Amino acid sequence: MTGAANLRIEMPWLLRNNAGLAGVLVLIALVCLVGAAASDRFLSFNNFLNVFEQTTDLALVSIGQTLTILAGGIDLSVGSLISLTSCLTSGLINNNPDRVVVVVIAVLVLGTAVGCVNASLVVALRVHPLIVTLGMGAVLQGVTLLYALGPVGRVPRGFNFLAYGRVYGLPLGATLAVLLCILIALLLRYLPLGRQVYALGDDANSARLVGLRRTRILMLVYGTSGFCCAATGLYLAARFGVGQPYTGVNYTLASITPVVLGGTLLSGGKGGVVGTLFGAFLIALLNNLLNFMDVSKHYQLVAQAVIIILAVSVYVERRRTM
Amino acid sequence: MLKLAGISKSFPGVRALNGVHLHVQPGEIHGLLGENGAGKSTLIKIIAGADAPDEGEMDFADAPVQWSSPREAKQHGIHVVYQEFALFPQRSVAENIFIGHERRNRFGLLDHARTRREATQLLQRLGVSLNVNAAVSSLSVADQQMVEIARAMVHNVKLLVLDEPTAVIAGREVAVLFELLRRLRETGVSVLFISHRLDEVFAICDRVTVLKDGRLVGTHDIRDVTRQRLISMMVGRDLGDLFPPRTMTARSSETILRTEGVTVGERVRDVSIELRRGEIAALAGMVGAGRSELALGLFGAMPLRSGVIHLAGQRITSMTPARAIGLGMGLVTEDRKSQGLAMLLDIAANISGPALSEVAKHGLIDRRLESEVAAREIERYRIACRGPGTKVATMSGGNQQKVIVARWARICRSVLILDEPTRGIDVGAKAEIYRIMRELARSGVAILMISSELTEVIGMADRIIVMREGRVTGELPGGAATEEDIMHLATSENAA
Amino acid sequence: MSDRLTTPAELDQPIAPAWSTRALLDRFGMLLILPLLLAAGGIVSPAFISADNLSNLLLQFAPLAIVAMGQALVMIVRGLDLSVASMMATAAVIATGFSGSDRDVATIFAVALAVAVMIGLLNGFLVTKRQVSPFLATLATMILLQGFRFAYTQGAPSGNVPPLLRVFGAGKFHGIPYNVLVLVALAIILAIVLHRSTFGRRIFIVGGNPVTGRLFGIQSDLIIIACYLISACLAAVGGLILSGYVGLVDNWVGQGYELDSIVACVVGQVSLQGGRGSILGALTGAAIIVIIANEVLLLGVPIQVQLIIKGAVIVIAAALYARKDN
C-alpha cells in the first residue's frame, strides 16, 4: 500500500497542486488558435515578447494578490499603493540619477511596510481584510493626493530601462516579474510558513486550534502584496517617466482576475502564483488578439468579462464533479 | 500526569465551572462524563490552554503550569482532538499531520519526501494505512480522526484529550479506535475520554469523573460504579426507564410511504421500503451505509436518480423539500448547527420556518401569532429558554434539538424522519425526545429514525430496517432483535 | 456555545418583551450617532446646520442610500454587489440616450430597469446556478456593463438629461428634495418587505444558512436571485437620480458607489458574513458617510484628507462592531 503510494509517478509539483493551471493553459492555447487564424503575425516570437512585456504590471500586482487570497483574505489597497509608490518614485528621484538606488529601496521597503500595517490591523482590530484594506486604500489615495495632485517629478532617462529594456532579448521588467514569481512559488513550497499560508486559507478555525501563528502568516502575505505593489509602482514610473496620482486606480479589481483565471480559489487554500502569472499573460494575450482583430478597445472589456465568467463557471463544474 | 485543583471559570451570566478537581494518572484512560452544559467543554479548553481559569491551579507532569496559549500546552505534550476536528480539508494527509511542525532538511527548508515517509510510518504505528498524499477531504470521518490522532503522536503526546470521539464513527471503527487507545495507554500516554455513551465508557475507561452544573460530582474507579449510578450522578436523579413503553399495533394500520427502487446520489441504490402510520421504524447500519442520503432523498433535499416514492396516495418521481413539507413530511437532520437551525434567528422563527404561510396574511408575517405558536410549543416540550424571542444560538444542544423536533412535530402529518435525533444531547433531553417520538407515532405519524446507537434502535423501534452499502439488507422486528442480529445485517458477511 | 447550560437561574430571568429598553437600543441604538455627528458638525462649523446645507445633505444622501439598501439585501444573503456603480453609470447613460425631453422619461425608466433586470438576473444566475463567488460574478458584470457602455458612447457620452429627471435629482419641495421623497417611499416598502414579509424572513433564513433554507422548503436560489435583482433595480433608480443631480453625464457617474454602499452597510451593521442586517442600518450607514464627507468639506479640509478620514472611519466603525459581536 505505502509502497504503491511511493512508486506512484509524481507529476511535476507545479502541475500537481494546481488543477486550475491546466485550465488557464487550455485557454491560452485557444486564444493562440484563434489568433493564428486571425493573423499570421500573431504567433510570431516577437509578438509573444510584446505580450510578455505587456503582462508585467498586471503580473506583478496579481502575484502579491494571490498570496492574500490564498491565505483567505484579499488586498483592496493595491491600487492606491501603486499610485503612491509610483508618485514617490518619480517625485523623490526627481531626475537625479544619484538618488535612484536609495529611492528604489525606500519605496520597496515602504510598500512592504504598508502591507505589514494591513496585516497588523486585520489581526488587532479583528476586522475582515476586505474592509481593512478598503479603508487603507482610501487613506493611501488621500496621502498620494496630498503629495501630488497631478503628475509629479521625473525619472532619469536610464530608469526607463526597467520598462523598455531588453536583456538577452528578453524584456527586463517582465523577466524580473517571472523571477519574482518563481521565487515566491519556491518560498510557498519550501518554507513552513508558505505551507501555513495554504492551511490558514483552507480553514482558519483549524489553524487557530492547531496553534498556527496567524500574525506571522498575514505579515508574510500582506507584506509581499505591498512589496509587489511597490514594484509595480516602480515599473509604472519607469514606463511613463513620471508618477501620476491615479495611475494605480484600476489595478485594485483588475489584480483579482488573473488570480482567479490561474485557478486560485477566491475562498483561499488552493492555487498558486504560477497560475496567476499565466492568468495575467492570458489577459494580455487576449487584448493583443483583439487588437489584431481590430476590435474596439471598448469591446475588449466585454471580452474580458465574458472570459472571466466562462472561466469561473468551468472551474466550478470541475470542482463539483470531484 | 494532570492535576486540576479548584478550577473555576465564569462567563457573563453563567458560572461554567465551580471549584472542579480532576486528577488524571499516567497511563490511564480517564472518562469525563456530564450532561451538555455540565462544563466539559470549558474544562477541555482550560486544559488545552484555549481559555484561562478564573481560579484554581493546574499541575502537569508534576510541575505547576499556566498556559498562555494552546501552543504552549501542546509543546508540553497535551493534544486535544476536538469533535469538529482541526483539519485542513484541501491539504494532504502528510501535510495535515505535520502542520506547524514541518519536517525540514538541513537548510531549514521543507523536506517533502521526509514528510511523506514519516507520515506513513506514523500511521503504520497507529495501525492504519492511508495514502498520505490524499487530500483530507477525501477521507472517511474515521480516517480523518486517525489523522488527528497521528498529529498528536508528532508532538510526543503525554495527555490525549478526545472530545466525543465516537460521536462521528460507528461499529468497527469504534473498536479500532479503542484498540488504539489501549495501545497508547501501554506506552504511558494518558487519555481523557469525553463521551455521552455509557457503554463505551465502561468498555474503555479505567476511571471516570462526572461533572454536573459546573461542579464535580465525583471520580470513581470504573469497577466501583454501575450504569444506573453513573446516570443518576449525571442527571442528579434516577431516570427510571429511558425508553417509553411500546404501544404500537402496526399490522393493522395503513401504509403511508412506500418506495420502489429509489436511488439517491452515489451511495443509495435501489431501496424499496414501506412505512406505516403509527409505527416507529429504525434505519440501522454503519456510518456511510447511505442512511442519511436516503433520508435526504425521501425529503427531496437530494435528487432522486431513479425510483418512485408513494406518499400519502401520490406517486412521486421528483421530490422537493417544499413538496415533501406540503405532503406532511418532516426531516430532523443529523447536524443541528449547520443544517437544522437558522442559528441567527429566534425560536419563533425556527418553529414557524417551514410553514410560514400559517402565520402570515397577504405575505406579511403576524408576529404576535407566530410568537403565540412558539410559546405553545415551548411549553409543550419544556424547552428551556427565556421566551419565543430567544436566539437559538444561545441555547444548549438538547434544547436546540427540541426546537427542531417541535417544529416538525407541529406540522407533520404523514412521515417524520429523524437522523441521529439524540446524538450529542444529554440524557434528560434524550428521554424527552423519545417521549415526543412515541406521542407522535400514537397520533398516527410514521416515524423513521436513523440511529447508530443500537440500544436506542432496540429500545425504540417497532421495526428495524438495516442498510449496508446503500442497499437494504434486511428487516427485523422491534423488541425481539438483538445487537448481534443487527450487526450481522449491517456488516458484510465475511467480516461479521 | 451551544454547550452552555440553561441553568434554572437563566429560566427565572424575566421574559424580555420586544419593546424593552435593551431591545430598542439594540435595534435603534446606532441612530443615536447621527445627532451626535450633526451636533459635532454644528459646533465645528456653524454653516453645517444651516437649513440650506442640511437640505443639500439630504440631496446627496438619497442616491447613496437607495443603492445601499439594495446592497444590504445582497449582503444579507451572503453576497456582494460590485456591479452597482457600473449599473448607475449605465442608467445615467441611458438617461441621456434619448431626445432629452420629458416625453422620454417613462421610456428611460423602462429601459434602465430592463437592463437592471437582466444584470440582476445574470448576477443571481452566476452566483446560484454556477456557484461563482459573488465578488467575481458581480465584478464580471461590472466590467461587462462598462464595456457595453463605452462601446455605446464611443468613450464620450453626450446628450441631455430630461428636465423632469433633473427635478427628481436636484429639485426641492419646500426644502425637501424630491429624491428624498423617492427614497422614503422605497425605504418604507423595502423595510416592510425585509422585516415583515415572508419573503424577508426567507431572505434572513437563506442568508443565515442556505442549507437550512433548503430544508425549510425554501427555494434558496430564487430568493438570492431576487435580492440581486432588487439591488440592480435600485442601482438603476439611484443612477437616474444621480444623473439628474449631476446634470451632465459621463461614463463614470456613480463611480465609487460600489465601495461606498458596501461601507455604508458595514457601518450600518449589515454583516459581511450574511444573515444579519436591516434597512435602517443601511440608511444610517449611508447618512454617516454623507455627513462626514460634508463636514470635512465645510471645514475647508483639502479633498485629499477626506479620503483619509473616510478610510479611517470605515476601519474604526467595523472594528467597533467586531468588538461588540465578540
Side-chain angles (χ1 to χ4, degrees), chain B residues 14-43:
Chain B
V14 193
R15 181 123 203 206
L17 290 175
N18 197 345
V20 171
H21 297 257
L22 178 68
H23 190 176
V24 182
Q25 281 162 355
E28 75 161 344
I29 300 179
H30 195 109
L32 183 60
L33 280 173
E35 298 193 77
N36 264 327
K40 293 169 299 177
S41 301
T42 312
L43 196 62

PDB file of all heavy atoms in Angstrom, chain B residues 14-43:
ATOM      1  N   VAL B  14     -23.073  33.169  33.371  1.00  0.00           N
ATOM      2  CA  VAL B  14     -23.006  31.736  33.633  1.00  0.00           C
ATOM      3  C   VAL B  14     -21.748  31.406  34.427  1.00  0.00           C
ATOM      4  O   VAL B  14     -20.663  31.896  34.119  1.00  0.00           O
ATOM      5  CB  VAL B  14     -22.937  30.923  32.317  1.00  0.00           C
ATOM      6  CG1 VAL B  14     -23.188  29.460  32.605  1.00  0.00           C
ATOM      7  CG2 VAL B  14     -23.889  31.462  31.289  1.00  0.00           C
ATOM      8  N   ARG B  15     -21.911  30.577  35.424  1.00  0.00           N
ATOM      9  CA  ARG B  15     -20.744  30.052  36.121  1.00  0.00           C
ATOM     10  C   ARG B  15     -20.491  28.681  35.527  1.00  0.00           C
ATOM     11  O   ARG B  15     -21.166  27.708  35.862  1.00  0.00           O
ATOM     12  CB  ARG B  15     -21.039  29.953  37.619  1.00  0.00           C
ATOM     13  CG  ARG B  15     -19.875  29.444  38.403  1.00  0.00           C
ATOM     14  CD  ARG B  15     -19.505  30.468  39.476  1.00  0.00           C
ATOM     15  NE  ARG B  15     -18.120  30.299  39.870  1.00  0.00           N
ATOM     16  CZ  ARG B  15     -17.691  30.662  41.063  1.00  0.00           C
ATOM     17  NH1 ARG B  15     -18.505  31.177  41.931  1.00  0.00           N
ATOM     18  NH2 ARG B  15     -16.409  30.508  41.358  1.00  0.00           N
ATOM     19  N   ALA B  16     -19.541  28.599  34.593  1.00  0.00           N
ATOM     20  CA  ALA B  16     -19.342  27.366  33.836  1.00  0.00           C
ATOM     21  C   ALA B  16     -18.671  26.286  34.683  1.00  0.00           C
ATOM     22  O   ALA B  16     -19.012  25.109  34.595  1.00  0.00           O
ATOM     23  CB  ALA B  16     -18.522  27.639  32.584  1.00  0.00           C
ATOM     24  N   LEU B  17     -17.711  26.680  35.498  1.00  0.00           N
ATOM     25  CA  LEU B  17     -17.020  25.710  36.345  1.00  0.00           C
ATOM     26  C   LEU B  17     -16.923  26.285  37.749  1.00  0.00           C
ATOM     27  O   LEU B  17     -16.682  27.469  37.933  1.00  0.00           O
ATOM     28  CB  LEU B  17     -15.604  25.435  35.812  1.00  0.00           C
ATOM     29  CG  LEU B  17     -15.493  24.658  34.500  1.00  0.00           C
ATOM     30  CD1 LEU B  17     -14.043  24.583  34.078  1.00  0.00           C
ATOM     31  CD2 LEU B  17     -16.077  23.267  34.656  1.00  0.00           C
ATOM     32  N   ASN B  18     -17.067  25.390  38.728  1.00  0.00           N
ATOM     33  CA  ASN B  18     -17.071  25.856  40.097  1.00  0.00           C
ATOM     34  C   ASN B  18     -16.229  24.911  40.961  1.00  0.00           C
ATOM     35  O   ASN B  18     -16.684  23.856  41.367  1.00  0.00           O
ATOM     36  CB  ASN B  18     -18.519  25.908  40.593  1.00  0.00           C
ATOM     37  CG  ASN B  18     -18.651  26.762  41.831  1.00  0.00           C
ATOM     38  OD1 ASN B  18     -17.643  27.089  42.466  1.00  0.00           O
ATOM     39  ND2 ASN B  18     -19.873  27.120  42.171  1.00  0.00           N
ATOM     40  N   GLY B  19     -14.965  25.276  41.183  1.00  0.00           N
ATOM     41  CA  GLY B  19     -14.091  24.503  42.060  1.00  0.00           C
ATOM     42  C   GLY B  19     -13.929  23.051  41.652  1.00  0.00           C
ATOM     43  O   GLY B  19     -14.080  22.145  42.465  1.00  0.00           O
ATOM     44  N   VAL B  20     -13.607  22.824  40.390  1.00  0.00           N
ATOM     45  CA  VAL B  20     -13.510  21.440  39.899  1.00  0.00           C
ATOM     46  C   VAL B  20     -12.122  20.856  40.149  1.00  0.00           C
ATOM     47  O   VAL B  20     -11.104  21.523  39.935  1.00  0.00           O
ATOM     48  CB  VAL B  20     -13.836  21.395  38.387  1.00  0.00           C
ATOM     49  CG1 VAL B  20     -13.526  20.026  37.818  1.00  0.00           C
ATOM     50  CG2 VAL B  20     -15.289  21.757  38.162  1.00  0.00           C
ATOM     51  N   HIS B  21     -12.113  19.626  40.636  1.00  0.00           N
ATOM     52  CA  HIS B  21     -10.855  18.885  40.781  1.00  0.00           C
ATOM     53  C   HIS B  21     -10.844  17.759  39.765  1.00  0.00           C
ATOM     54  O   HIS B  21     -11.857  17.115  39.540  1.00  0.00           O
ATOM     55  CB  HIS B  21     -10.732  18.275  42.176  1.00  0.00           C
ATOM     56  CG  HIS B  21     -10.693  19.305  43.252  1.00  0.00           C
ATOM     57  ND1 HIS B  21      -9.525  19.671  43.879  1.00  0.00           N
ATOM     58  CD2 HIS B  21     -11.675  20.044  43.803  1.00  0.00           C
ATOM     59  CE1 HIS B  21      -9.789  20.611  44.769  1.00  0.00           C
ATOM     60  NE2 HIS B  21     -11.102  20.846  44.750  1.00  0.00           N
ATOM     61  N   LEU B  22      -9.687  17.536  39.164  1.00  0.00           N
ATOM     62  CA  LEU B  22      -9.570  16.417  38.233  1.00  0.00           C
ATOM     63  C   LEU B  22      -8.153  15.910  38.327  1.00  0.00           C
ATOM     64  O   LEU B  22      -7.197  16.688  38.363  1.00  0.00           O
ATOM     65  CB  LEU B  22      -9.873  16.877  36.794  1.00  0.00           C
ATOM     66  CG  LEU B  22      -9.734  15.806  35.715  1.00  0.00           C
ATOM     67  CD1 LEU B  22     -10.807  14.757  35.864  1.00  0.00           C
ATOM     68  CD2 LEU B  22      -9.813  16.440  34.325  1.00  0.00           C
ATOM     69  N   HIS B  23      -8.029  14.597  38.389  1.00  0.00           N
ATOM     70  CA  HIS B  23      -6.702  14.015  38.543  1.00  0.00           C
ATOM     71  C   HIS B  23      -6.562  12.871  37.546  1.00  0.00           C
ATOM     72  O   HIS B  23      -7.176  11.824  37.715  1.00  0.00           O
ATOM     73  CB  HIS B  23      -6.537  13.518  39.987  1.00  0.00           C
ATOM     74  CG  HIS B  23      -5.125  13.136  40.293  1.00  0.00           C
ATOM     75  ND1 HIS B  23      -4.698  12.745  41.535  1.00  0.00           N
ATOM     76  CD2 HIS B  23      -4.042  13.091  39.505  1.00  0.00           C
ATOM     77  CE1 HIS B  23      -3.401  12.482  41.496  1.00  0.00           C
ATOM     78  NE2 HIS B  23      -2.985  12.679  40.268  1.00  0.00           N
ATOM     79  N   VAL B  24      -5.782  13.092  36.512  1.00  0.00           N
ATOM     80  CA  VAL B  24      -5.565  12.046  35.516  1.00  0.00           C
ATOM     81  C   VAL B  24      -4.196  11.439  35.766  1.00  0.00           C
ATOM     82  O   VAL B  24      -3.188  12.157  35.796  1.00  0.00           O
ATOM     83  CB  VAL B  24      -5.625  12.603  34.080  1.00  0.00           C
ATOM     84  CG1 VAL B  24      -5.452  11.477  33.070  1.00  0.00           C
ATOM     85  CG2 VAL B  24      -6.928  13.336  33.848  1.00  0.00           C
ATOM     86  N   GLN B  25      -4.149  10.105  35.966  1.00  0.00           N
ATOM     87  CA  GLN B  25      -2.874   9.469  36.257  1.00  0.00           C
ATOM     88  C   GLN B  25      -2.152   9.070  34.976  1.00  0.00           C
ATOM     89  O   GLN B  25      -2.775   8.934  33.930  1.00  0.00           O
ATOM     90  CB  GLN B  25      -3.112   8.246  37.137  1.00  0.00           C
ATOM     91  CG  GLN B  25      -3.335   8.678  38.575  1.00  0.00           C
ATOM     92  CD  GLN B  25      -3.992   7.619  39.414  1.00  0.00           C
ATOM     93  OE1 GLN B  25      -4.372   6.567  38.909  1.00  0.00           O
ATOM     94  NE2 GLN B  25      -4.124   7.900  40.682  1.00  0.00           N
ATOM     95  N   PRO B  26      -0.837   8.883  35.083  1.00  0.00           N
ATOM     96  CA  PRO B  26      -0.095   8.466  33.888  1.00  0.00           C
ATOM     97  C   PRO B  26      -0.598   7.114  33.413  1.00  0.00           C
ATOM     98  O   PRO B  26      -0.856   6.220  34.230  1.00  0.00           O
ATOM     99  CB  PRO B  26       1.351   8.363  34.374  1.00  0.00           C
ATOM    100  CG  PRO B  26       1.410   9.125  35.656  1.00  0.00           C
ATOM    101  CD  PRO B  26       0.043   9.078  36.246  1.00  0.00           C
ATOM    102  N   GLY B  27      -0.739   6.978  32.139  1.00  0.00           N
ATOM    103  CA  GLY B  27      -1.099   5.692  31.558  1.00  0.00           C
ATOM    104  C   GLY B  27      -2.492   5.208  31.923  1.00  0.00           C
ATOM    105  O   GLY B  27      -2.710   4.019  32.095  1.00  0.00           O
ATOM    106  N   GLU B  28      -3.428   6.090  32.075  1.00  0.00           N
ATOM    107  CA  GLU B  28      -4.797   5.632  32.289  1.00  0.00           C
ATOM    108  C   GLU B  28      -5.730   6.280  31.272  1.00  0.00           C
ATOM    109  O   GLU B  28      -5.433   7.333  30.722  1.00  0.00           O
ATOM    110  CB  GLU B  28      -5.290   5.968  33.713  1.00  0.00           C
ATOM    111  CG  GLU B  28      -5.643   7.431  33.915  1.00  0.00           C
ATOM    112  CD  GLU B  28      -6.533   7.657  35.141  1.00  0.00           C
ATOM    113  OE1 GLU B  28      -7.110   6.692  35.652  1.00  0.00           O
ATOM    114  OE2 GLU B  28      -6.636   8.820  35.564  1.00  0.00           O
ATOM    115  N   ILE B  29      -6.836   5.594  31.032  1.00  0.00           N
ATOM    116  CA  ILE B  29      -7.879   6.188  30.212  1.00  0.00           C
ATOM    117  C   ILE B  29      -8.954   6.676  31.159  1.00  0.00           C
ATOM    118  O   ILE B  29      -9.573   5.899  31.882  1.00  0.00           O
ATOM    119  CB  ILE B  29      -8.446   5.177  29.203  1.00  0.00           C
ATOM    120  CG1 ILE B  29      -7.317   4.699  28.286  1.00  0.00           C
ATOM    121  CG2 ILE B  29      -9.568   5.807  28.385  1.00  0.00           C
ATOM    122  CD1 ILE B  29      -7.749   3.684  27.252  1.00  0.00           C
ATOM    123  N   HIS B  30      -9.115   7.977  31.189  1.00  0.00           N
ATOM    124  CA  HIS B  30      -9.980   8.602  32.185  1.00  0.00           C
ATOM    125  C   HIS B  30     -11.225   9.144  31.488  1.00  0.00           C
ATOM    126  O   HIS B  30     -11.123   9.964  30.582  1.00  0.00           O
ATOM    127  CB  HIS B  30      -9.206   9.743  32.849  1.00  0.00           C
ATOM    128  CG  HIS B  30      -9.833  10.232  34.118  1.00  0.00           C
ATOM    129  ND1 HIS B  30      -9.278  10.002  35.351  1.00  0.00           N
ATOM    130  CD2 HIS B  30     -10.967  10.924  34.333  1.00  0.00           C
ATOM    131  CE1 HIS B  30     -10.048  10.544  36.278  1.00  0.00           C
ATOM    132  NE2 HIS B  30     -11.085  11.115  35.676  1.00  0.00           N
ATOM    133  N   GLY B  31     -12.368   8.674  31.886  1.00  0.00           N
ATOM    134  CA  GLY B  31     -13.610   9.148  31.272  1.00  0.00           C
ATOM    135  C   GLY B  31     -14.070  10.440  31.918  1.00  0.00           C
ATOM    136  O   GLY B  31     -13.950  10.613  33.126  1.00  0.00           O
ATOM    137  N   LEU B  32     -14.581  11.359  31.093  1.00  0.00           N
ATOM    138  CA  LEU B  32     -15.166  12.581  31.636  1.00  0.00           C
ATOM    139  C   LEU B  32     -16.617  12.623  31.173  1.00  0.00           C
ATOM    140  O   LEU B  32     -16.905  12.665  29.992  1.00  0.00           O
ATOM    141  CB  LEU B  32     -14.396  13.812  31.132  1.00  0.00           C
ATOM    142  CG  LEU B  32     -14.855  15.168  31.668  1.00  0.00           C
ATOM    143  CD1 LEU B  32     -14.733  15.229  33.179  1.00  0.00           C
ATOM    144  CD2 LEU B  32     -14.037  16.291  31.041  1.00  0.00           C
ATOM    145  N   LEU B  33     -17.512  12.568  32.150  1.00  0.00           N
ATOM    146  CA  LEU B  33     -18.930  12.454  31.828  1.00  0.00           C
ATOM    147  C   LEU B  33     -19.697  13.654  32.349  1.00  0.00           C
ATOM    148  O   LEU B  33     -19.293  14.290  33.318  1.00  0.00           O
ATOM    149  CB  LEU B  33     -19.510  11.209  32.498  1.00  0.00           C
ATOM    150  CG  LEU B  33     -19.271   9.854  31.843  1.00  0.00           C
ATOM    151  CD1 LEU B  33     -19.777   8.767  32.769  1.00  0.00           C
ATOM    152  CD2 LEU B  33     -19.988   9.796  30.524  1.00  0.00           C
ATOM    153  N   GLY B  34     -20.789  13.927  31.704  1.00  0.00           N
ATOM    154  CA  GLY B  34     -21.644  15.004  32.186  1.00  0.00           C
ATOM    155  C   GLY B  34     -22.628  15.343  31.106  1.00  0.00           C
ATOM    156  O   GLY B  34     -22.389  15.093  29.930  1.00  0.00           O
ATOM    157  N   GLU B  35     -23.754  15.894  31.513  1.00  0.00           N
ATOM    158  CA  GLU B  35     -24.726  16.313  30.510  1.00  0.00           C
ATOM    159  C   GLU B  35     -24.178  17.499  29.759  1.00  0.00           C
ATOM    160  O   GLU B  35     -23.180  18.105  30.150  1.00  0.00           O
ATOM    161  CB  GLU B  35     -26.038  16.714  31.182  1.00  0.00           C
ATOM    162  CG  GLU B  35     -26.702  15.612  31.938  1.00  0.00           C
ATOM    163  CD  GLU B  35     -28.124  15.987  32.294  1.00  0.00           C
ATOM    164  OE1 GLU B  35     -28.980  15.932  31.403  1.00  0.00           O
ATOM    165  OE2 GLU B  35     -28.363  16.336  33.450  1.00  0.00           O
ATOM    166  N   ASN B  36     -24.866  17.846  28.693  1.00  0.00           N
ATOM    167  CA  ASN B  36     -24.457  19.046  27.986  1.00  0.00           C
ATOM    168  C   ASN B  36     -24.572  20.231  28.910  1.00  0.00           C
ATOM    169  O   ASN B  36     -25.532  20.371  29.634  1.00  0.00           O
ATOM    170  CB  ASN B  36     -25.336  19.267  26.756  1.00  0.00           C
ATOM    171  CG  ASN B  36     -24.670  18.717  25.536  1.00  0.00           C
ATOM    172  OD1 ASN B  36     -23.445  18.743  25.449  1.00  0.00           O
ATOM    173  ND2 ASN B  36     -25.454  18.222  24.624  1.00  0.00           N
ATOM    174  N   GLY B  37     -23.549  21.085  28.878  1.00  0.00           N
ATOM    175  CA  GLY B  37     -23.594  22.241  29.739  1.00  0.00           C
ATOM    176  C   GLY B  37     -23.072  21.976  31.131  1.00  0.00           C
ATOM    177  O   GLY B  37     -23.072  22.854  31.976  1.00  0.00           O
ATOM    178  N   ALA B  38     -22.582  20.748  31.365  1.00  0.00           N
ATOM    179  CA  ALA B  38     -22.052  20.441  32.685  1.00  0.00           C
ATOM    180  C   ALA B  38     -20.689  21.092  32.888  1.00  0.00           C
ATOM    181  O   ALA B  38     -20.190  21.169  34.000  1.00  0.00           O
ATOM    182  CB  ALA B  38     -21.941  18.932  32.867  1.00  0.00           C
ATOM    183  N   GLY B  39     -20.085  21.557  31.804  1.00  0.00           N
ATOM    184  CA  GLY B  39     -18.802  22.248  31.921  1.00  0.00           C
ATOM    185  C   GLY B  39     -17.647  21.499  31.287  1.00  0.00           C
ATOM    186  O   GLY B  39     -16.505  21.915  31.409  1.00  0.00           O
ATOM    187  N   LYS B  40     -17.955  20.391  30.596  1.00  0.00           N
ATOM    188  CA  LYS B  40     -16.874  19.607  29.994  1.00  0.00           C
ATOM    189  C   LYS B  40     -16.077  20.417  28.974  1.00  0.00           C
ATOM    190  O   LYS B  40     -14.849  20.409  28.985  1.00  0.00           O
ATOM    191  CB  LYS B  40     -17.453  18.359  29.296  1.00  0.00           C
ATOM    192  CG  LYS B  40     -18.046  17.362  30.233  1.00  0.00           C
ATOM    193  CD  LYS B  40     -18.813  16.319  29.450  1.00  0.00           C
ATOM    194  CE  LYS B  40     -19.935  16.982  28.689  1.00  0.00           C
ATOM    195  NZ  LYS B  40     -20.713  16.104  27.855  1.00  0.00           N
ATOM    196  N   SER B  41     -16.814  21.103  28.101  1.00  0.00           N
ATOM    197  CA  SER B  41     -16.125  21.855  27.041  1.00  0.00           C
ATOM    198  C   SER B  41     -15.203  22.919  27.618  1.00  0.00           C
ATOM    199  O   SER B  41     -14.071  23.089  27.181  1.00  0.00           O
ATOM    200  CB  SER B  41     -17.138  22.534  26.125  1.00  0.00           C
ATOM    201  OG  SER B  41     -17.959  21.575  25.552  1.00  0.00           O
ATOM    202  N   THR B  42     -15.708  23.619  28.627  1.00  0.00           N
ATOM    203  CA  THR B  42     -14.894  24.656  29.250  1.00  0.00           C
ATOM    204  C   THR B  42     -13.653  24.049  29.880  1.00  0.00           C
ATOM    205  O   THR B  42     -12.547  24.575  29.753  1.00  0.00           O
ATOM    206  CB  THR B  42     -15.718  25.388  30.327  1.00  0.00           C
ATOM    207  OG1 THR B  42     -16.982  25.726  29.770  1.00  0.00           O
ATOM    208  CG2 THR B  42     -15.015  26.627  30.783  1.00  0.00           C
ATOM    209  N   LEU B  43     -13.854  22.909  30.531  1.00  0.00           N
ATOM    210  CA  LEU B  43     -12.728  22.249  31.182  1.00  0.00           C
ATOM    211  C   LEU B  43     -11.666  21.856  30.143  1.00  0.00           C
ATOM    212  O   LEU B  43     -10.465  22.060  30.341  1.00  0.00           O
ATOM    213  CB  LEU B  43     -13.225  21.009  31.933  1.00  0.00           C
ATOM    214  CG  LEU B  43     -12.246  20.444  32.959  1.00  0.00           C
ATOM    215  CD1 LEU B  43     -11.981  21.463  34.048  1.00  0.00           C
ATOM    216  CD2 LEU B  43     -12.783  19.156  33.564  1.00  0.00           C
TER     217      LEU B  43
END
